[in-house]
Amino acid sequence: MSDKAVITCALNGVLTDPKQHNVPVTPEQMAREARAAFDAGASIMHIHLRQQAPNKGHLPSWEVAVSKEIQQAIREACPGVIINHTSGVSGPNYSGALDCIRETRPEIAACNAGSLNYLKVKADNNWAWPPMMFDNAVEKVKDYLDVMNAVGTIPEFECFDVGIVRCVGMYHQVGMYTGPLEYNFVMGVASGMPADPELLPILIKLKRPEAHWQVTAIGREEIWPLHQRCAELGGHLRTGLEDTFYLADGTKVTSNGQLIEAVAACARRAGRQIASPAEARKIFGTNR
């Protein structure tokens, strides 16, 4: 187990409405929230892009100019920080996501490694939203990996279910990707893996042995035992307003910084130190 825990802050996500929740949208807001997370121990900022026009901040954007402006603002606010760029798109048109990675060359980018029926049922037994497929066919994954390989971006393989974890090993076997491996176990989506700490040993067993791993825990205060177990088992840590708004005691936060402080405390309770950006680069094998 590495004694250094790399912390990623997921600053804003794609589903949260800034009119309802305190999520950053503009470059200035993203930089301010990134700085709060950076000061609390995050060395990686996972970013989503939102439309910048008035009253459009709840909608995603794939404008390269928006990506560049947000990344520049974050880097100016957080010297040495690592950018982890989103890439998730449902449907056949994902050229905008490819363009953002190709043109901005982030050190890390998400690579959703398999498809998932994205479902949730409300307490009244009706769908929370119309059932949808988050489609990530092998051909789509390969398109992302080809662009990342070309620009020197390390993929963070997003795994929403156990079978997707196993797929990553197959991508490596057939030569779709042969660089440093990083798994992100996404746990807590209602139709994916549950946010259950007891599942972690199985996932660790199924990943490639040389690979680094982290957990994205989706939910409320019930996710914090999962963060703690991740820290104890040697995983790297992620949280932020994309993933939750709640601390372990049920307190609703107003800033990413509060969440990063809490996840850093998990690492320290496990006897681990918090990695700096330079240490995170060494751990993950980035070449910048």
Side-chain angles (χ1 to χ4, degrees), residues 7 34-42 256-262 264 268 274:
I7 298 179
R35 183 69 208 198
F38 189 76
D39 288 344
N256 282 285
Q258 296 163 277
L259 293 168
I260 298 302
E261 287 175 0
R268 294 187 179 102
I274 308 304

Side-chain angles (χ1 to χ4, degrees), residues 40-88:
S43 56
I44 301 176
M45 303 298 161
H46 176 62
I47 63 169
H48 284 255
L49 313 176
R50 306 294 190 90
Q51 294 186 21
Q52 300 295 301
N55 299 315
K56 297 292 185 180
H58 61 294
L59 298 173
S61 170
W62 293 106
E63 293 185 41
V64 172
V66 171
S67 179
K68 287 181 175 178
E69 191 174 357
I70 286 174
Q71 290 189 53
Q72 180 180 349
I74 290 174
R75 288 194 173 99
E76 289 176 356
C78 309
V81 76
I82 299 168
I83 298 294
N84 177 330
H85 204 291
T86 184
S87 70

Side-chain angles (χ1 to χ4, degrees), residues 10-288:
L11 287 166
N12 59 345
V14 70
L15 298 175
T16 43
D17 189 339
K19 291 183 179 180
Q20 299 177 356
H21 303 286
N22 194 37
V23 293
V25 170
T26 67
E28 294 79 13
Q29 292 167 348
M30 293 286 281
R32 182 178 65 245
E33 280 294 297
R35 183 69 208 198
F38 189 76
D39 288 344
S43 56
I44 301 176
M45 303 298 161
H46 176 62
I47 63 169
H48 284 255
L49 313 176
R50 306 294 190 90
Q51 294 186 21
Q52 300 295 301
N55 299 315
K56 297 292 185 180
H58 61 294
L59 298 173
S61 170
W62 293 106
E63 293 185 41
V64 172
V66 171
S67 179
K68 287 181 175 178
E69 191 174 357
I70 286 174
Q71 290 189 53
Q72 180 180 349
I74 290 174
R75 288 194 173 99
E76 289 176 356
C78 309
V81 76
I82 299 168
I83 298 294
N84 177 330
H85 204 291
T86 184
S87 70
V89 178
S90 294
N93 183 9
Y94 47 95
S95 60
L98 294 177
D99 288 342
C100 283
I101 295 168
R102 186 184 293 111
E103 297 298 324
T104 71
R105 305 169 65 93
E107 287 177 273
I108 300 172
C111 182
N112 295 282
S115 300
L116 180 76
N117 285 318
Y118 205 83
L119 312 174
K120 186 176 181 179
V121 176
K122 297 185 294 185
D124 63 4
N125 296 322
N126 290 308
W127 295 116
W129 54 73
M132 62 170 285
M133 168 67 78
F134 184 27
D135 56 310
N136 295 288
V138 173
E139 295 79 9
K140 186 175 182 179
V141 174
K142 186 176 185 302
D143 286 343
Y144 280 115
L145 291 176
D146 287 347
V147 169
M148 293 181 198
N149 281 329
V151 300
T153 294
I154 291 178
E156 178 187 87
F157 287 101
E158 315 295 319
C159 301
F160 292 82
D161 219 336
V162 174
I164 299 176
V165 176
R166 301 177 75 188
C167 288
V168 174
M170 296 182 201
Y171 301 152
H172 189 274
Q173 278 184 280
V174 302
M176 283 171 57
Y177 176 74
T178 58
L181 277 172
E182 181 185 349
Y183 290 71
N184 181 19
F185 303 141
V186 183
M187 305 173 72
V189 174
S191 53
M193 292 188 290
D196 184 349
E198 293 186 9
L199 189 54
L200 285 179
I202 297 172
L203 300 176
I204 295 167
K205 181 179 178 180
L206 292 175
K207 75 174 184 66
R208 286 187 64 89
E210 75 275 20
H212 298 287
W213 63 279
Q214 70 173 21
V215 166
T216 290
I218 309 294
R220 293 191 170 215
E221 56 268 29
E222 75 278 359
I223 65 176
W224 288 95
L226 176 57
H227 285 305
Q228 187 62 54
R229 190 65 179 137
C230 173
E232 292 165 358
L233 291 175
H236 299 292
L237 300 165
R238 165 180 147 158
T239 191
L241 294 175
E242 176 176 1
D243 303 339
T244 190
F245 297 109
Y246 297 92
L247 298 174
D249 64 359
T251 300
K252 188 173 183 179
V253 302
T254 58
S255 171
N256 282 285
Q258 296 163 277
L259 293 168
I260 298 302
E261 287 175 0
V263 84
C266 290
R268 294 187 179 102
R269 283 194 296 271
R272 299 174 66 192
Q273 299 176 344
I274 308 304
S276 68
E279 291 167 332
R281 286 185 172 89
K282 185 175 181 181
I283 290 168
F284 289 149
T286 65
N287 55 9
R288 303 179 200 169

